[in-house]
């Protein structure tokens, strides 16, 4: 559904992914950041920003940063998506996301 040409179906597919694991939400949000529809792109950017902020949180806060349980291949795909979306995300969000992904690398 996320790859359909119709905006309504992409939006519906994105809504269906809410509540899934963090890696699924992050992947979908990064894809939407690059969506040709400006409203969907803004939604994706907002969700990536929220996830990146949560992931970049320091450990002294009450709630720990979200887990990102991915394989090395999945991590590489997320890193590549983050690199493609970097310009759309902006410097701050991109930096937080890159830091979070580096810290959660499976081989780290």
């Amino acid at each position: 559904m996320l790859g359909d040409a119709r905006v309504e179906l992409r939006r519906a597919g994105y809504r269906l992914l809410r509540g899934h694991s963090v890696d699924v939400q992050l992947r979908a949000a990064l894809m939407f950041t690059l969506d040709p529809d400006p409203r969907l792109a803004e939604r994706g950017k907002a969700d990536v920003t929220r996830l990146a902020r949560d992931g970049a949180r320091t450990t002294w806060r009450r709630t720990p940063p979200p887990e990102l349980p991915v394989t090395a291949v999945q991590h590489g795909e997320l890193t590549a998506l983050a690199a493609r979306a970097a310009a759309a995300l902006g410097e701050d969000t991109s930096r937080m996301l890159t830091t979070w992904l580096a810290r959660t690398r499976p081989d780290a």
Side-chain angles (χ1 to χ4, degrees), residues 7 11 15 32 35-46:
V7 173
R11 184 179 300 118
R15 284 186 187 138
F32 264 45
D35 197 272
D37 181 74
R39 291 180 64 198
L40 293 181
E42 275 301 309
R43 177 75 263 151
K45 180 181 175 184

Side-chain angles (χ1 to χ4, degrees), residues 88-101:
L89 291 172
E91 186 178 331
D92 290 339
T93 300
S94 186
R95 184 175 17 83
M96 285 188 293
L97 181 59
T98 303
T99 301
W100 181 34
L101 288 173

Side-chain angles (χ1 to χ4, degrees), residues 6-78:
R6 295 171 288 183
V7 173
E8 307 82 34
L9 280 182
R10 292 196 312 271
R11 184 179 300 118
Y14 190 67
R15 284 186 187 138
L16 289 173
L17 294 176
R18 288 188 184 154
H20 279 76
S21 63
V22 173
D23 62 309
V24 171
Q25 291 180 45
L26 180 59
R27 181 183 316 277
L30 283 168
M31 289 171 58
F32 264 45
T33 299
L34 302 170
D35 197 272
D37 181 74
R39 291 180 64 198
L40 293 181
E42 275 301 309
R43 177 75 263 151
K45 180 181 175 184
D47 288 344
V48 169
T49 300
R50 175 185 50 83
L51 290 166
R53 283 185 183 151
D54 288 350
R57 270 195 312 242
T58 55
T59 56
W60 57 267
R61 296 197 181 216
R62 287 185 187 185
T63 55
E67 296 277 330
L68 192 59
V70 293
T71 65
V73 172
Q74 292 169 328
H75 190 274
E77 291 169 356
L78 285 173

